[in-house]
Amino acid sequence: MTDEENCNTSANRSLLDVLDARLSRRNALRVSLGGASAAVLSACGGGDTATAANAGPTAAAKRGPGGGPLRLSFEAVAKSTADRVTVPAGYTATVMYALGDPLDDATPEFRNDGTDTGFETRAGDHHDGMEFYGLHAGGKRPDRSGSVRGILAMNHEALTDQFLHPAGSTPNPRPVAEADKEIPAHGLSFVEVRKQGGGFGYVRGSSYNRRVTPLTPMRIHGPARGSLLMKTKYSAGGTDCRGTINNCGTGTTPWGTFLTGEENWAGYFTRSATDNTARGGSTSKSVVSLNRYGRSQGAASRHGWETAGADDRFARWNISQTGASADGTDDYRNELNTFGWIVEADPYDGTQALRKRTALGRFAHESAAFGIPVAGRPLAVYMGDDSRGEYIYKFVSEAGWNAADANAANRITTGDKYLDAGKLYVAKFNDDGSGRWIELDIANPAIAAFAAYDFADQADVLVNARLAADAVGATKMDRPEWCAVHPVTGEVYYTLTNNSNRKVEPSGSSQMAVDPANPRSYADAPSTSAGNVNGHIVRMKESGGDGASTVFTWDIYLFGAESGADPVKVNLSSLTADQDFSSPDGLWFSPRTGTVFIQTDDGAYTDVTNCMMLLGRPGQVGDGAPQVLQYAKADGSMVSVRTHVGAKPTPDTLRRFLVGPVDCEITGICETPDGRAIFVNIQHPGESISRATVTDPASYLSHWPGNAGYGAGGATARPRSATIVITRDDGGRIGVDGGHDDDRGGDRGGHRS
Ligand code: FEO
Ligand code: CA
Ligand code: CA
Ligand code: CA
């Protein structure tokens, strides 16, 4: 692909106009491919040429009557602490798939009083990342451009366990009946949804409906398959494993499969207080690895499932070394190594085993976002590791992209082709606005010479990617959450949600100093403890627009802040009351409009507003200016940090679109291919609840969605995580009007009258 700079030479059109025109050409080709996602396009240059040659009359048809420049077209939603979902005037949000909803006809309706069982055939808890997979209107086969029926694939990250039982969660030892509800309430849902009236509903009894749980058999793929590190009592060959847990962000592949990231999995496992000795002492490799991933000896498990009984489905949550074998095939000492991966599933085919893609590295995964595929070139997959001071990664496939694979008949083996062999990189941000991708390879001298851990082979590097990234001096970031790729520029955006350990003068090994890519440390009254309280969004531009590049430039798209905060030290993006936000987490670009959806998981601004979703129309790296932040040290001397701030948003380029109910997180966002419906997840409303008060509805912080008329319980209901669908009352595209792709007034595809 040609350099992005060469594509943007027009002197008379705004950047957003240029992006809009490119989007139009891209969308035209998408249609001509039958909806295959971004199959062969580069962001500019050759991509545009290919489009012009191939799109033919479709392009003109899709441009339709036009409607001026593409623009955000809704009135900003005000901040709110109301226990409801608020969307702009002219939009409707409808609850459609909540915790406990039955997937088949045999499972009873959800009573929502803690007595419900059988989560293997119900919606799980804590809805998180989510993707839409179109079905033909007849519902019998995949149709990637289908907007009338589809499959929602989503994560169920965690539990509000108190609400799953009549009188809350029983302390250890855990009753079998409680553990057997809690374990399968995690995992994934695949659920058919179908247009009903102006909105969507889920299809109970659809043959596409299924749950994946922490007990579902899966295959280990990539370089760590069969490794000594992966051998367990369950799989002596180290080739198989059971289940996925704490699934947070998602991704969708160019060949139509679903990717799910395993995030805070370590906390589900316990280690005995003497396990270091059992493993050969505190400097033994497995102990160094376990400590680096958050499981020091004596750590308690989050839910105590290992106390529910001797059966293997409970015993595996205790990862202490108890067996006599040399290789760990008689206990679960290596069980933790089977978690922390990007996992691939075929949403259309439940007969295919899910695959853990070890080539992409093991850490606290969020989303997995593909760079724009270019025919013949490797694919890039961007990923983040969400913990304070962790890193930003990318995987570059060995195989070059073959556009025909967008419609491959066997999707999961297509995944083998692209995701089982390649290079894993970690990002280093330089002070001057440049950056470097450092390969995590066993042959890298810094990895071979690393004193803290003696890597045996490439499987060891991938299983212990955090340690390998330590070895090469990667940049510690402010908790990388989701990443997303701009569908036209190909630039990569990462939410950095917040970091209480970011300091001007760090002390101890867990704190880190302000730096150009993580430049803020300030207190948010009444707290006097400084850190990156509100988070920011960094973006990166690969050299030459090539996802396989090892150098990039970067700036900071947005700094989260309260609109009234200090404009010199905190509100660096000059956010107004219609735009201000804190703790960005979910992040996704509409491939159709290039609009970015920013979702929050916040605890800092929640005295003023519940968590929210904003829509933005970003420019590109370098559209702003450098800025120097000055900090006074305790001894009176000054520290200067020079960062790179992107163009400040205007009311036309960033607006709040949604505010959620009380004590929730907004996460998970996808749309129908026609852009007329979006799906959003409301995670854990009213999650702050104790065993002591769970039987008293007056103590609940939230009663949503019962108080919105959904399901049992009404105004005093136990709160439930749920998927909502948002449509526009005039049938238009969500959030935007105009643009070269504007087809208002055309066929609205069966929209309600
Ligand atoms: Fe599950 Fe980092 O959010
Ligand atoms: Ca998240
Ligand atoms: Ca989060
Ligand atoms: Ca949360």
Side-chain angles (χ1 to χ4, degrees):
M1 167 189 331
T2 55
D3 190 295
E4 188 66 26
E5 296 300 333
N6 297 331
C7 313
N8 199 12
T9 53
S10 167
N12 298 323
R13 302 163 73 199
S14 77
L15 171 64
L16 289 177
D17 286 348
V18 174
L19 297 184
D20 180 27
R22 283 194 217 144
L23 271 168
S24 171
R25 291 192 290 274
R26 287 193 64 232
N27 286 333
L29 185 60
R30 290 156 65 85
V31 170
S32 73
L33 285 171
S37 173
V40 296
L41 293 178
S42 59
C44 58
D48 285 348
T49 305
T51 305
N54 296 331
T58 314
K62 287 306 293 177
R63 283 172 203 172
L70 189 71
R71 61 191 180 273
L72 299 181
S73 63
F74 59 94
E75 274 189 47
V77 168
K79 294 186 286 287
S80 168
T81 54
D83 190 28
R84 61 186 301 254
V85 172
T86 307
V87 292
Y91 287 81
T92 300
T94 308
V95 184
M96 56 165 288
Y97 182 63
L99 164 71
D101 278 346
L103 284 167
D104 61 18
D105 294 324
T107 301
E109 293 288 346
F110 193 62
R111 290 184 292 267
N112 196 24
D113 58 4
T115 64
D116 304 279
T117 59
F119 285 86
E120 294 84 352
T121 52
R122 297 184 181 278
D125 206 351
H126 283 213
H127 301 38
D128 206 318
M130 174 170 56
E131 306 283 347
F132 182 89
Y133 297 92
L135 289 169
H136 186 259
K140 298 273 194 280
R141 59 183 165 83
D143 175 359
R144 301 268 294 282
S145 61
S147 290
V148 173
R149 306 178 79 138
I151 300 166
L152 281 183
M154 79 178 72
N155 292 335
H156 296 292
E157 185 182 32
L159 304 177
T160 307
D161 54 347
Q162 300 300 345
F163 286 127
L164 288 186
H165 313 296
S169 172
T170 305
N172 293 350
R174 301 300 314 283
V176 168
E178 290 187 13
D180 277 341
K181 288 165 67 171
E182 293 176 9
I183 294 169
H186 289 79
L188 318 174
S189 276
F190 297 90
V191 56
E192 184 183 340
V193 297
R194 186 168 158 186
K195 201 162 193 171
Q196 294 173 351
F200 275 77
Y202 86 93
V203 182
R204 186 172 174 179
S206 165
S207 59
Y208 289 108
N209 293 354
R210 63 182 159 123
R211 288 290 320 287
V212 168
T213 78
L215 291 170
T216 303
M218 300 185 181
R219 294 197 185 134
I220 296 164
H221 267 248
R225 178 180 173 83
S227 159
L228 278 173
L229 298 171
M230 307 299 272
K231 292 178 187 286
T232 64
K233 191 175 169 184
Y234 177 75
S235 176
T239 56
D240 294 82
C241 61
R242 263 179 311 188
T244 187
I245 202 162
N246 208 267
N247 304 82
C248 190
T250 55
T252 198
T253 67
W255 51 96
T257 60
F258 176 67
L259 299 180
T260 175
E262 299 177 325
E263 188 192 12
N264 292 313
W265 33 273
Y268 291 84
F269 297 86
T270 188
R271 283 181 69 205
S272 83
T274 56
D275 194 43
N276 285 0
T277 301
R279 290 172 181 266
S282 61
T283 59
S284 69
K285 281 185 61 178
S286 74
V287 172
V288 172
S289 169
L290 288 159
N291 289 342
R292 185 66 180 83
Y293 282 89
R295 282 296 87 181
S296 52
Q297 69 175 355
S301 67
R302 182 188 286 206
H303 294 295
W305 295 330
E306 74 283 355
T307 67
D311 187 274
D312 210 51
R313 73 184 187 279
F314 305 129
R316 53 98 62 116
W317 304 103
N318 182 346
I319 55 171
S320 305
Q321 180 162 332
T322 55
S325 71
D327 63 1
T329 53
D330 57 349
D331 59 18
Y332 286 106
R333 76 186 73 156
N334 292 330
E335 185 77 349
L336 202 67
N337 294 338
T338 69
F339 291 90
W341 303 105
I342 291 290
V343 188
E344 184 176 11
D346 186 341
Y348 296 108
D349 186 353
T351 69
Q352 299 277 9
L354 283 80
R355 299 183 183 190
K356 298 214 172 185
R357 298 296 184 188
T358 65
L360 279 66
R362 176 170 166 267
F363 39 92
H365 278 283
E366 292 273 338
S367 67
F370 280 77
I372 299 170
V374 178
R377 296 292 300 154
L379 296 174
V381 186
Y382 299 91
M383 303 169 288
D385 182 357
D386 180 13
S387 204
R388 286 186 284 269
E390 292 297 347
Y391 308 122
I392 280 174
Y393 296 82
K394 80 167 170 181
F395 170 80
V396 176
S397 68
E398 189 174 298
W401 174 238
N402 177 353
D405 286 334
N407 298 306
N410 191 324
R411 287 171 291 271
I412 202 82
T413 57
T414 304
D416 297 347
K417 173 179 171 184
Y418 292 107
L419 297 181
D420 283 346
K423 295 176 177 177
L424 183 66
Y425 296 87
V426 69
K428 183 170 175 59
F429 290 76
N430 299 325
D431 295 2
D432 63 357
S434 69
R436 197 156 60 88
W437 292 107
I438 306 172
E439 188 181 351
L440 299 181
D441 188 274
I442 186 68
N444 183 323
I447 290 175
F450 190 47
Y453 188 86
D454 183 17
F455 293 95
D457 52 23
Q458 187 61 18
D460 202 357
V461 168
L462 296 166
V463 170
N464 292 291
R466 280 182 174 175
L467 286 163
D470 293 344
V472 302
T475 302
K476 295 182 175 187
M477 307 301 287
D478 286 345
R479 294 186 53 199
E481 296 256 13
W482 290 43
C483 53
V485 173
H486 191 294
V488 175
T489 67
E491 292 179 1
V492 192
Y493 290 62
Y494 276 88
T495 50
L496 302 169
T497 196
N498 55 57
N499 185 357
S500 55
N501 285 343
R502 184 69 63 180
K503 306 289 183 183
V504 174
E505 295 179 89
S507 66
S509 60
S510 64
Q511 295 187 348
M512 55 225 73
V514 286
D515 67 25
N518 305 273
R520 289 187 309 173
S521 184
Y522 56 96
D524 179 40
S527 170
T528 56
S529 177
N532 180 0
V533 176
N534 303 117
H536 57 285
I537 303 175
V538 69
R539 63 184 167 190
M540 307 152 79
K541 170 190 167 134
E542 299 275 25
S543 177
D546 183 0
S549 171
T550 57
V551 288
F552 59 87
T553 53
W554 63 269
D555 70 6
I556 292 170
Y557 165 45
L558 291 173
F559 286 95
E562 302 180 8
S563 58
D566 182 335
V568 176
K569 293 191 163 95
V570 179
N571 189 11
L572 303 184
S573 296
S574 303
L575 302 180
T576 67
D578 286 343
Q579 302 166 323
D580 58 345
F581 68 92
S582 177
S583 302
D585 187 340
L587 189 74
W588 185 75
F589 277 95
S590 165
R592 195 177 162 88
T593 63
T595 305
V596 68
F597 294 72
I598 303 165
Q599 303 175 312
T600 69
D601 175 13
D602 185 43
Y605 205 12
T606 42
D607 51 336
V608 173
T609 184
N610 301 336
C611 287
M612 63 182 69
M613 182 170 79
L614 304 99
L615 267 59
R617 300 205 64 227
Q620 62 184 14
V621 170
D623 62 9
Q627 183 165 340
V628 176
L629 300 181
Q630 302 268 12
Y631 294 101
K633 291 170 86 166
D635 66 3
S637 64
M638 298 299 289
V639 176
S640 292
V641 179
R642 186 173 185 267
T643 188
H644 306 270
V645 185
K648 297 184 177 179
T650 70
D652 292 331
T653 61
L654 183 68
R655 290 179 200 172
R656 187 179 304 106
F657 183 85
L658 175 152
V659 179
V662 177
D663 204 20
C664 80
E665 164 183 350
I666 307 298
T667 183
I669 162 76
C670 55
E671 68 181 5
T672 51
D674 66 5
R676 298 175 191 280
I678 63 171
F679 303 89
V680 174
N681 279 329
I682 310 295
Q683 188 188 87
H684 66 60
E687 71 163 341
S688 304
I689 186 74
S690 71
R691 176 170 165 81
T693 57
V694 70
T695 53
D696 175 17
S699 73
Y700 303 171
L701 293 182
S702 172
H703 299 285
W704 189 91
N707 63 3
Y710 190 86
T716 61
R718 294 178 173 208
R720 299 160 73 183
S721 295
T723 305
I724 59 174
V725 60
I726 300 172
T727 50
R728 189 165 152 177
D729 299 342
D730 69 2
R733 292 171 299 160
I734 303 301
V736 295
D737 274 332
H740 298 258
D741 196 36
D742 194 341
D743 50 1
R744 284 173 306 158
D747 175 21
R748 287 185 181 168
H751 180 72
R752 64 183 169 183
S753 55

